[in-house]
Amino acid sequence: MTEEKSTPAADNDSPEASEPAVDTSSAKPSPAKKAPAKPPVAKRAASDAEITRRGLFSWAAVAWVGFTAAIGGCMTAFGRFMFPNVLFEPPTSFKVGQPEDFPPGVVDERFKESYGVWIVNNEGQLTALIAICTHLGCPPAWLEAQNKFKCPCHGSGYYKSGINFEGPTPRPLERARISIDPDDGQILVDKAQKYLWEQGQWDDPSSYLEVS
Amino acid sequence: MDALKSFINTLSYPWFSFTLSLVLFVAVVKLKKLWTHAGGWLMLALITVFFCGSMLDENFRSVVAKPDNVPIVMMVYLTGYFWWLAMYKGIKNDQAIEAGAPTFEKSESEDKVFTWPDLVFSELICMVVLTVGMVVWSIVLKAPLEEPANLSVAPNPSKAPWYFLGLQEMLVYFDPWMAGVVLPGLIIVGLMAIPYIDTNPKGNGYYTFKERKSEIFLFLFGYIVLWVQLIVIGTFLRGPNWNFFGPYEFWDINKIEPLVNIDLSEIIWIKLLGVGLPSHWLPREIFGIILMIGYFVVLPVAMSKMKYFKRFYDEMGGPRFYTGATLFLTMMLLPIKMYARWVFNLKYIVHIQEFFFNI
């Protein structure tokens, strides 16, 4: 047994024959001295199972690439799933009617359900307040009798202007962009652009309309 | 009867009821007579008489008998029972230890019983009773179905699941980032940290009260007063617009409760100093920031020198003591902020809305 195995090992690479040449040229005695002791053991295992070290690694590489590709494909499909083909959302930009439809001091709730905004005519300014509480995102309710917006979730309260005055909310309601459509004179609200009080954006002329 | 009802209504308003519950909590824990069989029956009778008597009131019944709220009534009874059981056994053991006798657990574990049939039979009976209970419950009390969901309408009041009502109550007093993320995270981290902070081996494997008074008191305060009680308040006493209602009060959607809140910066700069708010956030909020640094940095160091906390510091060592003290002070921030809201209408101690940092 031992004789048979030692012969192919010597035939394949013949480490003993090549070693003196390596030894003299590279001038590194220590690895060369260790080398002759080990090869017979490694070669014996390789010839036994008919699998070389290189063969094993190439199979592992194929398997690994396949595995990665499968996972990557799944993740790509999953990522694509996050962006639906059709979104059933109302348009962010919409017309709400003529400025005369909103008399002074009135909070118009007609567009809360369809577009999520109140049109408020307060102190000569017509604004579109977004009906989402700035505390944790519940829809507040307009309480006509108390002249305030009040959130049912944690009790945040806002004045008619949208400024917060009670409860835990840290900042006022947000305004949407509001303008007059030049073609038919209707009010055009664009929810895609928001104006935040705490960043001084309520002074922006496109965040309100001057009305008499 | 009406006078009694309106008295209880007034008493249950947070500033009264919270103070009352603090006093009661301390008294109840200290009163040894309550943690006996007689005391247990007495407390059970009192709670039951209160619930049954109050059910005659229409407003009380409409809230408490709601299918959603039935688990809270059970929770009140269960919490009370386990609280009593632990205290009862603890005090019994204290007396035994004092008399030099073995503890209840030690004498109990000396006679052994078989898994089969003793344990498995009790488990079987529990399983059958529990299953029957759940089936009857699910048939008798229907799950409340409401109208189809609508993005622009929230039910009024909008309540979280009952086990989160303590969190929802915290959200009334704190910024969502604090009450929704930081504090709940610290509750979990803090509970996990207990075995590493409190390495005192006393009370391991047996009930005791005398040997660990401070620890039991602290834990019960956090659990009973700051968690269970907030759930009860959130379930029974919070009505439309998240306003506060007494137990016999009609849930009037138009109830007006003036709650204009102001920040600490506004109290100091406008009310006390009489000058306007500085425009930059750093000078504006400097007092609140100093207060918070004092609370979380200076106070733990001062505590380590105080007589009462000194022995904990000596026992636990620096790192353990400061971790424990920071968690303790964070917990105490909740009652402090609640009182500040009720007494001074305080909204935020530090309110930097420029980058959403509010305490």
Side-chain angles (χ1 to χ4, degrees):
Chain A
M1 287 289 276
T2 45
E3 281 168 302
E4 274 180 21
K5 255 150 211 170
S6 62
T7 27
D11 285 348
N12 278 343
D13 281 347
S14 62
E16 280 103 37
S18 62
E19 252 157 33
V22 176
D23 205 353
T24 45
S25 61
S26 67
K28 274 186 187 171
S30 54
K33 269 180 192 169
K34 274 183 186 173
K38 278 190 178 175
V41 184
K43 289 288 140 69
R44 198 190 298 158
S47 61
D48 233 8
E50 296 290 328
I51 296 176
T52 58
R53 178 177 295 187
R54 175 172 302 190
L56 181 73
F57 273 109
S58 51
W59 273 114
V62 168
W64 188 246
V65 167
F67 177 73
T68 315
I71 294 292
C74 286
M75 293 310 287
T76 313
F78 183 69
R80 173 66 186 78
F81 178 73
M82 293 293 164
F83 300 93
N85 295 333
V86 183
L87 259 186
F88 297 99
E89 281 179 355
T92 59
S93 180
F94 48 91
K95 290 175 181 173
V96 294
Q98 302 291 334
E100 300 85 65
D101 299 344
F102 305 94
V106 165
V107 174
D108 195 306
E109 291 211 88
R110 283 178 298 165
F111 305 100
K112 191 192 171 197
E113 189 155 339
S114 45
Y115 294 114
V117 290
W118 290 293
I119 310 295
V120 183
N121 187 337
N122 188 38
E123 293 171 353
Q125 284 190 345
L126 200 62
T127 54
L129 291 177
I130 292 171
I132 292 174
C133 184
T134 48
H135 177 230
L136 272 179
C138 286
W142 166 246
L143 303 179
E144 185 75 52
Q146 297 173 44
N147 210 22
K148 69 181 180 188
F149 300 102
K150 185 79 173 166
C151 181
C153 293
H154 306 92
S156 296
Y158 306 85
Y159 291 126
K160 191 188 274 180
S161 58
I163 299 287
N164 53 322
F165 72 99
E166 66 177 359
T169 183
R171 58 200 190 89
L173 292 172
E174 292 169 353
R175 282 183 185 176
R177 184 189 178 92
I178 191 166
S179 58
I180 296 281
D181 191 68
D183 298 334
D184 52 5
Q186 284 207 61
I187 297 171
L188 189 67
V189 176
D190 187 2
K191 274 175 75 182
Q193 181 144 19
K194 291 173 182 175
Y195 297 88
L196 277 58
W197 176 87
E198 67 274 15
Q199 297 187 4
Q201 293 167 342
W202 280 18
D203 297 330
D204 194 313
S206 49
S207 75
Y208 59 89
L209 284 177
E210 297 275 5
V211 286
S212 50
Chain B
M1 206 63 208
D2 282 345
L4 181 69
K5 279 184 190 173
S6 68
F7 178 67
I8 294 181
N9 277 343
T10 319
L11 218 59
S12 62
Y13 271 68
W15 42 100
F16 287 130
S17 67
F18 199 80
T19 314
L20 199 70
S21 72
L22 284 182
V23 176
L24 261 179
F25 172 72
V26 176
V28 154
V29 173
K30 295 222 163 188
L31 210 67
K32 285 217 176 116
K33 285 258 167 65
L34 269 183
W35 309 111
T36 56
H37 279 285
W41 284 115
L42 179 74
M43 284 194 285
L44 182 69
L46 281 180
I47 294 174
T48 309
V49 164
F50 171 73
F51 266 119
C52 292
S54 301
M55 283 307 250
L56 298 172
D57 183 89
E58 198 185 332
N59 294 325
F60 186 91
R61 193 169 60 236
S62 69
V63 177
V64 174
K66 224 178 137 196
D68 270 352
N69 295 347
V70 171
I72 314 297
V73 181
M74 292 188 195
M75 185 194 68
V76 170
Y77 277 98
L78 270 180
T79 310
Y81 171 69
F82 283 115
W83 188 8
W84 174 84
L85 187 72
M87 292 295 283
Y88 168 75
K89 287 196 167 178
I91 286 171
K92 272 259 154 123
N93 276 347
D94 289 344
Q95 288 163 350
I97 292 169
E98 218 163 279
T103 59
F104 172 75
E105 288 76 12
K106 198 159 197 180
S107 52
E108 187 191 50
S109 60
E110 268 164 14
D111 37 282
K112 303 213 155 71
V113 289
F114 294 106
T115 305
W116 172 265
D118 300 81
L119 173 72
V120 177
F121 252 63
S122 345
E123 282 178 348
L124 176 76
I125 291 164
C126 285
M127 190 185 79
V128 170
V129 169
L130 212 64
T131 311
V132 170
M134 296 295 269
V135 168
V136 171
W137 187 2
S138 64
I139 290 171
V140 174
L141 298 176
K142 299 266 183 290
L145 272 183
E146 293 174 13
E147 56 210 86
N150 182 344
L151 265 184
S152 65
V153 177
N156 194 4
S158 286
K159 293 201 176 182
W162 64 266
Y163 41 83
F164 278 150
L165 279 173
L167 283 185
Q168 193 169 359
E169 199 57 29
M170 273 170 24
L171 279 163
V172 174
Y173 303 98
F174 284 103
D175 176 80
W177 174 243
M178 272 295 278
V181 180
V182 176
L183 292 180
L186 278 180
I187 290 174
I188 294 167
V189 170
L191 285 174
M192 291 195 299
I194 285 177
Y196 303 98
I197 293 171
D198 176 32
T199 50
N200 184 350
K202 279 184 177 165
N204 276 2
Y206 61 96
Y207 285 99
T208 174
F209 176 59
K210 206 176 173 186
E211 292 178 3
R212 317 180 50 97
K213 265 187 191 157
S214 302
E215 290 88 344
I216 290 174
F217 198 79
L218 186 64
F219 179 81
L220 281 179
F221 175 74
Y223 177 61
I224 301 282
V225 180
L226 292 186
W227 190 249
V228 174
Q229 187 186 319
L230 288 190
I231 290 178
V232 172
I233 287 178
T235 314
F236 296 140
L237 305 178
R238 287 288 188 180
N241 299 326
W242 211 248
N243 276 333
F244 204 89
F245 291 84
Y248 308 114
E249 212 173 324
F250 173 65
W251 279 17
D252 181 6
I253 201 159
N254 285 315
K255 179 180 178 175
I256 295 180
E257 211 177 333
L259 295 167
V260 179
N261 304 329
I262 42 176
D263 294 325
L264 183 72
S265 56
E266 289 169 330
I267 293 179
I268 290 180
W269 286 107
I270 298 173
K271 280 197 166 177
L272 295 182
L273 298 178
V275 293
L277 283 179
S279 55
H280 193 262
W281 60 267
L282 187 60
R284 190 184 71 216
E285 303 296 339
I286 192 72
F287 297 106
I289 293 171
I290 289 173
L291 201 66
M292 279 295 107
I293 290 175
Y295 185 74
F296 279 112
V297 179
V298 182
L299 197 56
V301 180
M303 272 164 70
S304 68
K305 306 270 191 296
M306 278 184 221
K307 204 182 159 199
Y308 178 77
F309 295 103
K310 183 89 169 59
R311 65 198 169 91
F312 290 102
Y313 183 81
D314 293 340
E315 267 174 34
M316 296 155 80
R320 272 205 192 98
F321 179 83
Y322 288 125
T323 315
T326 308
L327 288 169
F328 169 70
L329 289 175
T330 313
M331 180 174 96
M332 294 313 287
L333 208 56
L334 178 62
I336 289 171
K337 189 81 192 286
M338 286 161 86
Y339 273 110
R341 175 67 63 83
W342 299 327
V343 179
F344 307 111
N345 270 326
L346 182 79
K347 193 201 288 178
Y348 290 121
I349 299 166
V350 180
H351 185 185
I352 309 174
Q353 55 200 356
E354 283 84 350
F355 41 87
F356 300 109
F357 183 81
N358 310 306
I359 297 173

